[in-house]
Amino acid sequence: MRVPVLFPVLLSLFAAPGAPAGAERSCADLRKLYSGKGFPQTEVPQTEISGEHLRVCPQGPTCCTSAVEDNLTGISSRETEGLIREAGRSLQAVFNALHRSFDTYFTELHSGSERALQDALSPLGSLYSQNTRLFADLYTDLRQYYRGSALNLDENLSEFWSRLLERAFKASSPADVTLSEDYLECVAKQQETLRPFGDVPRDMKAKVIRAFVTARSFVQGLLVSSEVVRKVSQVPLSPECVKALLRLVYCPHCRGLPSVKPCTGYCSNVMKGCLANQADLDPEWQNLIDTMIQVASSFRAEPSLDVVLSSIPARILEAVRYLQENMEAFTAKVYQTCGSPGEPGTGIPSTHESKRKSGSLSVSDYKLSQSAGLRLEMQVSDLSSKLREMRQYWVQLPVALCNKLSADSTSQDKCWNGISKARYLPEVMGDGLANQINNPEVELDITKPDMTIRQQIMQLKIMSNRLKNALDGNDVDFQDTSDDISGSGSGMCLGGQCVRGRPGLYAYPPDNHRVQGSAAAGAGPPGSLWALLLPLAIALLLQR
């Protein structure tokens, strides 16, 4: 008769392990946390109840009803997605700041070069004063190309020299000689064969194209990187990840262990499983960052970016001086090819402006100030250091999220392991989707990668190839860089909207056949990366 009396007592002992017989553990901590999340405190029981109804948290004595578990599941998902988006916004802000910094620097170089035109070319007299629009068009073309216009920079530079040759030849002809449009076109066509401006057009074209191709590709790389971060940071968490996050963050509260933090290895496996697809960005992401650093370093290679832009007026002056000094010989050859203009007064054009004027600027005398060179050095150094800090962002994101969430190294024997307060025994998985096949915390189908992230991996690869082409001086077409990159707020002109519809003046091929070419080592994570990732809303996950 005494067995039936003892049996309920034994059941109560199994129902509340570790607690004195008849003791009921309070749920006050969870009630406080739950109401702080905006839910009615009354949904949480006053004391622990039986946990057979739990679908995610470990079954056993619990403070969570089915409704509370469901609500906490939603909270853990929203909070973690918020942390990922906030980390992404922080990274985007860095890219945007780099873009603004370089764009300001480059446009100031461009504007300064244009402003120097009048002083540099005023010795040319009427050839400059009567053709200011010609020189302004050159700088407009260069500016629009940098902004992303679809114009062919090689053709536009060739057109500039053709038009300048036409104007210079006409200005050197006697006033009573009439030159027809057809005759001037024939004169302009002699540019490639007779080289009336010497080596300046070919040399300047190569340097200017390289400078503007690399500058344009660099700012586009910053924009593409920022856009990739934005899209990837908005990828929703999988249902299995959401369950794992609940077990990681809020199941200890259901279990009556509000002060016990997750074990480090446990947290790592959950976050690496949740962010497995994002980690697959890492190889192409690092490749893009390294290539952008290469491009930034190329800006200071001789001749440096600032020298190329700032010396454009001096190069033009040098070219015109060369033509003026050799005008008689050039005119004689033009007459042999194009014939005599056939008008009264035909003869060898005057060389009344062929003498150098004292004080004129020669490119051989052109030097940048020490402060200008220092500014470029500082610009490249800042760009490179900031880019290096972002190299391992995608594989360090799980680590950063767990850094303050999990228990410290001295508490690994008494941390939350997903079931109880004890050491976490499973090994920590590697990075990326393929390494999650045996992840004990997040169930993933490694044969079904996230397509949004795969598309962004392809965008990184395309951009890297285009940057490498730019390093070789090859032109880059950005029209399909991304399916919806608009360059909003960036000043870039995409989709051909900045093209000025001025046709080429003469139909002969450019000499730079590389133009319009098709796009064909990491140290450990820097300390500053933590500074980028950790000042987030991680407190959301830590609220107990």
Side-chain angles (χ1 to χ4, degrees), residues 17 29 32 35 63 89 103 167 223-224 330 344 359 384 428 485:
D29 289 322
K32 181 179 179 181
S35 63
C63 287
R89 283 191 290 269
D103 184 66
R167 308 294 173 83
L223 294 174
V224 168
F330 173 68
S384 300
V428 176
I485 291 179

Side-chain angles (χ1 to χ4, degrees), residues 24-131:
E24 291 183 335
R25 198 155 15 183
S26 170
C27 295
D29 289 322
L30 181 59
R31 288 168 67 88
K32 181 179 179 181
L33 171 72
Y34 195 70
S35 63
K37 301 295 182 181
F39 295 100
Q41 190 179 75
T42 54
E43 291 185 0
V44 179
Q46 295 281 356
T47 57
E48 286 184 335
I49 59 175
S50 175
E52 292 86 354
H53 57 278
L54 297 176
R55 294 188 297 273
V56 178
C57 292
Q59 294 187 347
T62 184
C63 287
C64 290
T65 64
S66 294
V68 171
E69 187 183 44
D70 289 343
N71 288 334
L72 291 177
T73 300
I75 291 172
S76 61
S77 173
R78 289 191 297 273
E79 289 178 346
T80 305
E81 288 178 338
L83 290 175
I84 295 170
R85 286 193 297 271
E86 182 62 28
R89 283 191 290 269
S90 297
L91 190 58
Q92 281 183 272
V94 176
F95 277 116
N96 293 338
L98 290 177
H99 176 270
R100 285 192 301 274
S101 175
F102 180 79
D103 184 66
T104 299
Y105 170 73
F106 189 84
T107 52
E108 286 179 359
L109 275 181
H110 182 278
S111 299
S113 178
E114 187 173 14
R115 286 193 301 270
L117 265 176
Q118 184 173 357
D119 290 339
L121 301 186
S122 58
L124 298 180
S126 61
L127 181 59
Y128 172 72
S129 62
Q130 294 178 9
N131 296 287

Side-chain angles (χ1 to χ4, degrees), residues 102 211 214-215 218 295-301 303-306 376 380 383:
F102 180 79
T214 52
F218 184 76
V295 172
S297 297
S298 75
F299 295 147
R300 57 189 173 193
S304 61
L305 182 69
D306 48 1
L376 174 62
V380 172
L383 289 169

Side-chain angles (χ1 to χ4, degrees), residues 167-241:
R167 308 294 173 83
F169 187 86
K170 189 173 182 179
S172 297
S173 298
D176 58 348
V177 172
T178 301
L179 301 174
S180 67
E181 290 297 320
D182 289 341
Y183 193 86
L184 288 174
E185 181 176 349
C186 181
V187 172
K189 286 183 177 179
Q190 307 314 307
Q191 182 191 173
E192 290 300 313
T193 55
L194 300 182
R195 298 170 66 187
F197 294 114
D199 294 328
V200 172
R202 190 182 298 270
D203 182 65
M204 184 180 124
K205 182 190 292 185
K207 290 179 170 61
V208 167
I209 286 178
R210 181 178 293 274
F212 276 81
V213 166
T214 52
R216 184 170 86 153
S217 65
F218 184 76
V219 295
Q220 189 67 18
L222 293 173
L223 294 174
V224 168
S225 301
S226 179
E227 186 69 1
V228 167
V229 172
R230 183 186 70 82
K231 289 186 175 182
V232 172
S233 298
Q234 292 177 348
V235 172
L237 300 173
S238 69
E240 289 302 319
C241 168

Side-chain angles (χ1 to χ4, degrees), residues 466-479:
R466 289 174 173 171
L467 282 162
K468 289 171 183 174
N469 282 333
L471 282 170
D472 294 332
N474 293 332
D475 203 353
V476 199
D477 177 13
F478 291 120
Q479 302 313 305

Side-chain angles (χ1 to χ4, degrees), residues 281-424:
L281 286 159
D282 182 64
E284 287 302 330
W285 177 263
Q286 291 203 34
N287 184 33
L288 176 59
I289 295 295
D290 290 342
T291 308
M292 290 176 67
I293 292 172
Q294 277 186 278
V295 172
S297 297
S298 75
F299 295 147
R300 57 189 173 193
E302 293 298 332
S304 61
L305 182 69
D306 48 1
V307 168
V308 172
L309 266 69
S310 302
S311 64
I312 289 176
R315 301 309 310 272
I316 295 174
L317 177 64
E318 179 185 21
V320 175
R321 290 299 195 199
Y322 182 91
L323 171 64
Q324 290 175 338
E325 292 173 353
N326 297 278
M327 184 61 81
E328 289 187 15
F330 173 68
T331 302
K333 292 179 180 179
V334 167
Y335 282 6
Q336 292 176 8
T337 303
C338 302
S340 170
E343 299 292 335
T346 295
I348 301 299
S350 169
T351 57
H352 57 278
E353 288 189 298
S354 64
K355 299 298 182 182
R356 286 185 182 268
K357 297 185 178 180
S358 60
S360 64
L361 178 64
S362 169
V363 72
S364 60
D365 302 323
Y366 186 87
K367 291 182 180 179
L368 280 175
S369 67
Q370 185 176 2
S371 60
L374 181 61
R375 186 180 178 192
L376 174 62
E377 187 65 31
M378 292 175 62
Q379 185 74 214
V380 172
S381 177
D382 184 61
L383 289 169
S384 300
S385 63
K386 291 287 198 315
L387 287 169
R388 286 191 185 95
E389 291 171 9
M390 296 183 260
R391 274 186 95 250
Q392 296 184 313
Y393 174 80
W394 297 109
V395 294
Q396 289 300 318
L397 183 56
V399 182
L401 293 174
C402 286
N403 191 51
K404 288 189 176 180
L405 179 63
S406 58
D408 58 42
S409 58
T410 62
S411 304
Q412 295 304 305
D413 286 326
K414 45 187 177 181
C415 51
W416 174 250
N417 64 9
I419 299 174
S420 62
K421 181 181 177 181
R423 175 175 286 274
Y424 183 73

